[in-house]
Amino acid sequence: MAMSDRLAQIPDSYFGKTMGQKVTHGPLPLINLAVGIPDGDTPDGIVNKFIKAVQEPENQKYVAFHGKESLKQAIVDFYQRHYGVALDANTEVCILYGTKNGLVALPTAIVNPGEYVLLPDPGYADYLAGVQLADAIPKKLNLTAPDYLPKWQQISQDVLLNTRLVYLTYPNNPTGSVATLEVFKEAVTQFQNTKTKIVHDFAYSAFGFDSKNPSILQVDGAKELAVEIYSLSKGYNMSGFRVGFAVGNKDIIQALKKYQSHTHAGMFGALQDTATYALNHYDAFLEQQNNKFRQRRDDITRALADVDIPFEPMRGGIFLWLKTPPHFDGEGFVEYLLQEQSILVAPGFPFGDNGHHYVRMSLAIDDEQLAVAIQRLQSIAHLYH
C-alpha cells in the first residue's frame, strides 16, 4: 500500500467517510439530522460580493501568503466590536482555509513528538488526527453530563505537567454545552506560566441561546497562552467558502503562519474580499441565525420533555445530544431510527468514549422537516420507558 505508516495508523475520518454516502432507510421520506451543514442560503449580499470579487483582475493572481490587510483588519474590528478584545493584525491573526485545517495543523506546528495533548471527550472527532500526525500522545479531557466542562483537579499531575496543548470547544460539538467567562478564567489560571498552550475551537460562536458566548481571549492574560479559532461557516451560512481564522498568542500564530507558508500559497483573493464583507456588514444576520436555532432548540426540547425522552441541556451550538434508550448503544439506535423512522443521526462514538450511549442530532434542517422529525421522535418514547 502506498501509504506512510504514520498516515495508516490514523482511523478514517468518520464524517469524511460517511458524508454524502447513500443510505438505506425505512419506508418514510428520509430526514437527515446527521450533518451540521447550515440549511439556509448564504445571504445574497455576500454571494454578490463574491461574484464581483472573482471578476477583479487582482484576485486572479497570487496574493500575499498571509492574507490581505483588509481581511486582517476586518477580523481585528470584529473582535473589538463583539468581544472587546484588541488584536494586532500582523502578529495575532492567522487566516485559515477552513478552521479544520488550522485545528489539525496546530499540533504539528507547536507540539513535539511524545508530548501530551488533552482532547475533550466528547469533542470534535478530527482533533485526534492532528495529534497523531504530529506523533504526539492524545490524553482524555473527560467531560461529563450535565455541563460537560473541564474538571482540572481530576487530571493527574503527571499528565498536566507533560501536556503541551489543550483543546477546548464551546459551544461544544456534540453536546450543546457552553462555557462562561469564569470557565475560561479557570483554564487560563490552570496553565499560566507553564509550557501548556490552549486552543479554543469557537466554530459555533454565533449560537448562544441563554447568553452571548464569551471568547477565551476576554480573560486577562489569555493571549499569553491561548489562541481561538473562528469559523464563518456556521454563523454566516458560508460552509462551502471554507474561510476561518486563528487569533491570539503571537508565538502560536507565528508557528501556524510558518506551517501554512509551506503548505498553502495564500487564500484566493476573492474569498478574502467576501469574508471581509461578511465580517464588516452582517452582524445582524448572526443574531438572526441565533434566534432561528434558539427557536428550533426550544421546539425539540419541549417536545421531547413532553414525552419524557431524556436529552442533555442544549445551551448553544446546533446539535442536540440525545441519550439512547435502554438496551441500545449509539450505533444500534442510529440503525433503529434509520429503519423504523427514516431519520439519520450521527452515533456518539466518533466523539469519544463518553459518546457510546448517545446520538447527535443536528438542527440544521428546515423547520417543516424538523417538525416532522419531532413527531417521529415522540412516537418512540415507549423505548425509554
Side-chain angles (χ1 to χ4, degrees), residues 245-268:
F245 53 85
V247 291
N249 180 265
K250 294 179 181 180
D251 294 336
I252 302 175
I253 294 298
Q254 181 184 10
L256 273 175
K257 284 183 173 181
K258 182 174 182 178
Y259 178 88
Q260 286 200 143
S261 70
H262 292 290
T263 58
H264 302 300
M267 179 181 285
F268 181 30

Side-chain angles (χ1 to χ4, degrees), residues 47-106:
V47 174
N48 291 336
K49 177 64 179 181
F50 182 58
I51 293 169
K52 293 176 183 176
V54 169
Q55 296 169 335
E56 291 291 333
E58 70 170 34
N59 285 332
Q60 296 158 20
K61 299 178 174 63
Y62 287 133
V63 296
F65 268 34
H66 298 308
K68 294 187 176 187
E69 295 301 320
S70 54
L71 176 53
K72 290 185 285 187
Q73 189 59 50
I75 293 166
V76 169
D77 293 343
F78 180 88
Y79 257 71
Q80 182 65 60
R81 194 166 66 248
H82 284 264
Y83 305 109
V85 171
L87 295 167
D88 184 281
N90 293 314
T91 62
E92 296 178 334
V93 176
C94 178
I95 296 164
L96 301 170
Y97 254 125
T99 57
K100 178 176 175 176
N101 286 347
L103 290 163
V104 173
L106 192 54

Side-chain angles (χ1 to χ4, degrees), residues 38 42-43 46 232-243 274-275 278:
T42 307
I46 295 175
L232 274 69
S233 295
K234 309 303 190 292
Y236 297 92
N237 284 346
M238 291 177 65
S239 57
F241 290 73
R242 308 304 303 142
V243 180
T274 306

Side-chain angles (χ1 to χ4, degrees), residues 41 69 93 101 107 112 130 176 178 192 200 207 225 240 306 318 343:
D41 295 333
E69 295 301 320
V93 176
N101 286 347
N112 296 312
V178 297
Q192 229 160 13
H200 178 226
F207 306 95
L225 70 160
D306 284 346
I318 65 173
I343 295 175

Side-chain angles (χ1 to χ4, degrees), residues 146-157:
D147 54 12
Y148 293 97
L149 296 172
K151 296 177 177 61
W152 305 113
Q153 69 277 12
Q154 295 181 2
I155 302 171
S156 74
Q157 283 301 305

